[in-house]
Amino acid sequence: MSTHTSTPRKLSALDFNRMKKEKRKISMVTCYDFAYARVLADTEIDMLLVGDSCAMVMHGHPSTLLATPEMMATHTAAVSRGAPNKFLVTDMPFLSFRKGIAPALECVDLLMKAGAEALKIEGVRGHEETIRAIVESGVPVQGHLGLTPQSIHQMGGFKVQGRGAEQAQALLEDALTLERLGCFSVVLECVPSEIGRQISEKLTIPTIGIGAGPSTDGQVLVLQDMLGMNPDFQPKFLRHYFTGKSAVRDAVNRYHEDVLKERFPSASESYL
Ligand code: KIV
């Protein structure tokens, strides 16, 4: 009997299509830094996303509009070094794909050289040709519809999208356009479960939901949100898998107490 345990094969964009056909759900989580990437490298997670939410989560900005190509490239490079075994998607930041095809391809070049293996682009109307050019350059593109945080000011806040027949039909049409343009998957954010189900049924490419109900082909969450690092943030779609903030706070407070009470370092933690 062999005791050899084989390392799972690194997934590619094609695998996610196969998973949809096999009705095997897809798991995705955000990651922005080397330390967490090393932890995630040792998990079963299918796909990592260097989301432009890093502008908010890691830099404290009020929205994702403050993410820049350079910021995205820096985080992408760190995650790619920490989790080289995971399929890595990076967000094209605000306006980077709206200034024409050539400037968009400059950003694509920067992010792919930083270590991304696919790029996520919000919306579709008005930048169809740019998406097509990126796909034709050999880069897997993930669409993103529904609540698209780069349009937050136009949407009037973080609100559920696709309510009502007209909006739902527009979402379905956009999703079909993304499929036609060659996207390998589509993120659906904050849409009613029924819309998530209908779009997932109509597309041959996988849908990855966040607040889009149980019928999408996969799910994505922001890592720090699911770990409970910001327990005050409790949107309906979020499940906390850890009490991260209190766990870290309690550990740091125990260390602080140990320093004050001279319990740290002990003799065994000191050099002779
Ligand atoms: O930037 C991000 O974290 C995202 C996910 C919420 C899908 O786009």
Side-chain angles (χ1 to χ4, degrees):
M1 195 175 82
S2 167
T3 53
H4 177 75
T5 52
S6 64
T7 317
R9 179 177 64 82
K10 178 169 175 156
L11 298 175
S12 80
L14 302 183
D15 287 303
F16 302 110
N17 216 281
R18 174 183 51 78
M19 288 177 182
K20 173 163 180 141
K21 287 200 188 94
E22 292 170 355
K23 297 196 185 313
R24 189 306 210 154
K25 295 276 184 178
I26 300 162
S27 65
M28 185 182 199
V29 74
T30 64
C31 185
Y32 317 113
D33 68 296
F34 177 76
Y36 269 127
R38 294 215 355 178
V39 176
L40 295 175
D42 204 22
T43 67
E44 304 287 319
I45 198 88
D46 293 320
M47 212 186 313
L48 300 183
L49 170 66
V50 182
D52 58 356
S53 51
C54 71
M56 301 172 78
V57 177
M58 301 298 283
H59 296 265
H61 290 305
S63 78
T64 61
L65 274 66
L66 280 299
T68 63
E70 292 70 28
M71 182 191 287
M72 299 309 297
T74 301
H75 289 287
T76 299
V79 174
S80 161
R81 283 192 291 269
N85 57 335
K86 296 294 178 186
F87 186 76
L88 183 54
V89 185
T90 292
D91 257 325
M92 292 275 286
F94 180 57
L95 292 188
S96 62
F97 47 90
R98 298 286 302 189
K99 298 174 182 168
I101 293 178
L105 290 179
E106 289 299 326
C107 184
V108 170
D109 198 20
L110 180 74
L111 298 178
M112 296 303 283
K113 288 198 171 104
E117 287 152 335
L119 298 174
K120 178 159 79 58
I121 298 179
E122 289 190 10
V124 61
R125 293 180 190 216
H127 50 276
E128 295 91 338
E129 290 316 310
T130 303
I131 293 177
R132 191 194 305 280
I134 298 172
V135 170
E136 285 178 357
S137 305
V139 175
V141 173
Q142 183 170 67
H144 182 158
L145 298 173
L147 199 173
T148 45
Q150 291 173 13
S151 309
I152 200 68
H153 298 303
Q154 201 170 51
M155 291 179 164
F158 291 89
K159 295 178 183 162
V160 175
Q161 302 296 309
R163 288 206 196 279
E166 214 172 295
Q167 264 210 36
Q169 182 59 27
L171 263 183
L172 174 61
E173 279 167 20
D174 286 355
L176 288 167
T177 303
L178 287 171
E179 175 164 299
R180 242 185 343 263
L181 289 171
C183 289
F184 80 98
S185 61
V186 183
V187 167
L188 294 177
E189 179 164 353
C190 287
V191 299
S193 299
E194 178 55 17
I195 305 302
R197 186 188 68 74
Q198 286 178 17
I199 295 178
S200 304
E201 263 181 28
K202 295 248 161 61
L203 294 191
T204 59
I205 56 172
T207 56
I208 313 287
I210 172 164
S215 304
T216 51
D217 302 301
Q219 299 289 333
V220 57
L221 284 176
V222 168
L223 182 66
Q224 282 78 356
D225 293 347
M226 63 167 285
L227 294 182
M229 298 307 293
N230 177 12
D232 298 335
F233 181 60
Q234 288 193 334
K236 188 176 172 66
F237 65 78
L238 178 62
R239 185 179 297 178
H240 287 150
Y241 284 85
F242 187 50
T243 50
K245 183 179 176 187
S246 55
V248 172
R249 186 194 54 213
D250 294 351
V252 171
N253 279 339
R254 277 191 285 119
Y255 162 67
H256 171 78
E257 279 299 303
D258 284 352
V259 171
L260 264 58
K261 302 247 167 72
E262 297 182 33
R263 290 189 299 244
F264 178 84
S266 66
S268 68
E269 288 157 336
S270 306
Y271 295 108
L272 288 178

